[in-house]
Amino acid sequence: MDLQLTGKTAVVTGGSKGVGLATARLLLAEGVKVVTGSRSITPELEQLDVTPVSVDLSKPEGPGRLIEIAIETMGGIDFLVNNVGVGNAQDMVPGATRMLTDLPDSLWMHAFDLHFYSALRAIRAGLPSLVERGGVVVNVSSSSARMVSGGPYDYSVAKAALSALTKVVAEQYGPLGVRAITVSPGPVRTGVFTDPAGFVGSLAAAKGLDHETFADQLMEQIGSSTQRITAPEEVAKLIVFLLSPNNIHGAEYLIDGGAIKHL
């Protein structure tokens, strides 16, 4: 199936691993030129024919610098995939283990800088080019924005704000030819879930539990109807399809195996 993406250009944040890496790889296979932004450039990313930019997207100047480099490199951008998230796993543990009164402003600010403001700043910087080219913004949120009971609460609230931001972009810039869509994965088979030093492993350690046992318990609590974790490539396929020419706009797509059961 030809998705009619050949010759287009894309910026993918958080492109060094996980969903971002899988998205970059699939975009390349569709003939898209890709610039990635991440703090580190992994060996897996170095193997791809992308333009990797080492940048801290949680800093105010980071997203704008990434977009500037992308436009300089490619002449403009057709697609912006705001995928960056999680960062340091240890920063997320307090949001899942502390009560609201014990979660300091600094952690809330860090969660919003990484998961909300990075996208907002990248969108603002990219909009002139996206409007010119009739581009597409995909914001990668999370099913936890709809299911906050397990936390991390600061992360969940920041992702909910990101989902709302998609609606704002869709409303304001749809008439100017820019589409905006949210993709909200549940647990994905990345280091966040599978690495002992990742978020789930770190949370298990904080609770004094075995990583694998805790991960199994967590999946049971989440209640995925398919009873399995999502692969990064499955999320990437959804993202890349949404970037292809269509009239999908302002919508949210859950990819969580049926964990979110309410309308």
Side-chain angles (χ1 to χ4, degrees):
M1 181 177 180
D2 181 9
L3 293 180
Q4 302 177 49
L5 298 177
T6 301
K8 299 292 187 179
T9 60
V11 174
V12 180
T13 70
S16 63
K17 54 188 176 181
V19 170
L21 182 67
T23 300
R25 187 177 286 122
L26 189 52
L27 285 170
L28 289 172
E30 292 291 336
V32 179
K33 300 174 185 176
V34 180
V35 172
T36 62
S38 55
R39 286 188 302 178
S40 61
I41 298 174
T42 60
E44 294 82 3
L45 183 59
E46 288 180 332
Q47 293 176 6
L48 300 184
D49 186 20
V50 303
T51 300
V53 179
S54 179
V55 61
D56 187 344
L57 294 164
S58 69
K59 302 298 183 184
E61 67 280 2
R65 179 59 180 154
L66 172 62
I67 299 299
E68 180 183 11
I69 292 172
I71 292 174
E72 288 175 354
T73 301
M74 301 188 295
I77 58 173
D78 296 290
F79 309 133
L80 172 59
V81 180
N82 287 306
N83 165 75
V84 69
V86 179
N88 187 339
Q90 295 299 323
D91 292 335
M92 295 183 65
V93 171
T97 58
R98 298 184 187 179
M99 297 293 285
L100 189 66
T101 52
D102 299 323
L103 200 59
D105 285 359
S106 59
L107 289 179
W108 284 98
M109 292 171 66
H110 175 72
F112 269 80
D113 281 340
L114 185 60
H115 302 106
F116 175 78
Y117 281 111
S118 66
L120 173 62
R121 291 161 178 156
I123 291 168
R124 283 195 305 217
L127 271 170
S129 186
L130 291 165
V131 169
E132 179 183 358
R133 292 177 173 230
V136 186
V137 176
V138 171
N139 290 327
V140 180
S141 183
S142 170
S143 64
S144 70
R146 290 174 170 264
M147 183 170 31
V148 301
S149 58
Y153 302 108
D154 46 354
Y155 169 86
S156 297
V157 173
K159 285 295 193 180
L162 178 61
S163 299
L165 177 62
T166 302
K167 295 290 189 181
V168 175
V169 177
E171 180 69 16
Q172 293 189 353
Y173 289 91
L176 298 178
V178 176
R179 291 190 297 116
I181 307 146
T182 297
V183 170
S184 295
V188 181
R189 194 186 303 114
T190 67
V192 173
F193 210 89
T194 62
D195 186 348
F199 167 65
V200 172
S202 298
L203 184 57
K207 294 176 175 290
L209 299 172
D210 172 72
H211 175 207
E212 291 189 9
T213 301
F214 178 70
D216 290 342
Q217 291 174 351
L218 189 59
M219 282 299 295
E220 186 174 344
Q221 291 171 8
I222 289 171
S224 168
S225 298
T226 61
Q227 298 182 346
R228 70 172 182 86
I229 194 168
T230 304
E233 293 76 16
E234 292 174 308
V235 183
K237 287 178 183 178
L238 175 58
I239 292 170
V240 173
F241 168 73
L242 293 171
L243 294 175
S244 69
N246 60 65
N247 198 33
I248 298 169
H249 182 56
E252 178 188 13
Y253 280 78
L254 286 162
I255 180 166
D256 66 347
I260 302 296
K261 304 182 189 303
H262 56 268
L263 294 175

